[in-house]
Amino acid sequence: MRALIAAATGLAVALALVLAITAIGAPPGETSPEPLLTTVPEHP
């Protein structure tokens, strides 16, 4: 019986964590004004 209670408690905690993260929402996506370096510099 203890295992069943522990499993139910763990499931409830996991569900609460998922709901809390969902309520907070995703961070706003922002792009950098500087271009990314996509080429490898030449070796001397």
Side-chain angles (χ1 to χ4, degrees), residues 9-38:
T9 304
L11 184 61
V13 169
L15 184 60
L17 183 62
V18 169
L19 289 176
I21 293 174
T22 304
I24 293 172
E30 298 176 359
T31 57
S32 173
E34 299 178 5
L36 296 174
L37 297 176
T38 57

Side-chain angles (χ1 to χ4, degrees), residues 1-13:
M1 192 64 170
R2 288 182 184 176
L4 184 61
I5 293 172
T9 304
L11 184 61
V13 169

